[in-house]
Amino acid sequence: MSAGATAGEDGLRRCPWGLAPAEYAAYHDTEWGRPVHGDDALFERLCLEAFQSGLSWLTILRKRPAFRTAFADFSVKAVAGFGAADEARLLADAGIVRNRLKIAATLANARTLADWAPGELDTLIWSYAPEQSRPAPRTLADVPAVTGESTALAKELKRRGLRFVGPTTAYALMQACGLVNDHLADCHAR
């Protein structure tokens, strides 16, 4: 049976993944599951979730400052203007994940999003927040990897030209940005 929330060294009960190392605990306590709004902020989370695919989230958290520097703080407008020299710079940047397909998708996604109206990404993503909340998960086994809403969101993002946005990535985005609350029932952050 999967573990429920567990007390950390500070006595606070957390989702087991948020106990350690310190980067996980800070992210768990202050960011994950908290509502995120704004096109650039959501673009950052979408990009980081895509870069995480196949890797540890800890790797992404540790590289996030370098990602922010490399991708102009994830300004959609700035990244949309990146050209071949920027792509080469990104591929040579050891501070980020140097995956050619993920970098190309990030640049292409920014170019697509640059043509959207201000607030359109925010409105679109939040339109897929579940209307009814499900019971609070008691254990990690109760937390899905994909939902009907995440599948529909991924399909719509792909239909609109975005890449590296499958249902699992879309659900991770929904969790990270507070569209769903997957903190365990007895987690202090819930």
Side-chain angles (χ1 to χ4, degrees):
M1 179 170 176
S2 183
T6 306
E9 290 181 12
D10 58 5
L12 294 175
R13 296 182 69 75
R14 291 181 177 83
C15 303
W17 66 265
L19 292 172
E23 294 94 340
Y24 271 157
Y27 178 70
H28 172 275
D29 289 358
T30 64
E31 290 188 64
W32 193 75
R34 304 272 190 308
V36 173
H37 287 281
D39 291 344
D40 290 346
L42 288 166
F43 175 60
E44 175 184 5
R45 300 323 193 283
L46 186 63
C47 293
L48 294 178
E49 294 295 346
F51 273 103
Q52 185 274 328
S53 181
L55 301 172
S56 160
W57 183 245
L58 185 59
T59 299
I60 302 304
L61 285 177
R62 288 180 173 163
K63 290 179 176 278
R64 187 158 65 167
F67 271 111
R68 286 177 170 163
T69 299
F71 287 99
D73 287 325
F74 291 96
S75 162
V76 170
K77 185 173 276 195
V79 177
F82 282 12
D86 294 296
E87 188 168 356
R89 170 184 57 81
L90 293 166
L91 287 167
D93 187 343
I96 67 169
V97 174
R98 295 177 290 178
N99 179 296
R100 183 177 302 279
L101 293 176
K102 293 175 182 180
I103 289 170
T106 299
L107 302 184
N109 288 349
R111 291 181 192 116
T112 297
L113 293 171
D115 290 336
W116 291 18
E120 190 172 351
L121 178 62
D122 188 300
T123 300
L124 175 69
I125 287 174
W126 278 91
S127 74
Y128 285 88
E131 289 185 25
Q132 292 186 350
S133 62
R134 64 180 186 273
R138 308 281 320 152
T139 69
L140 294 179
D142 298 330
V143 178
V146 173
T147 63
E149 293 91 354
S150 73
T151 300
L153 174 58
K155 184 176 179 179
E156 182 61 15
L157 291 170
K158 286 180 184 179
R159 187 188 72 76
R160 291 181 178 224
L162 299 184
R163 298 169 20 194
F164 265 92
V165 290
T168 303
T169 297
Y171 193 68
L173 175 74
M174 294 171 81
Q175 291 173 304
C177 295
L179 280 76
V180 295
N181 184 353
D182 277 343
H183 284 285
L184 299 183
D186 52 354
C187 173
H188 83 92
R190 189 165 182 89

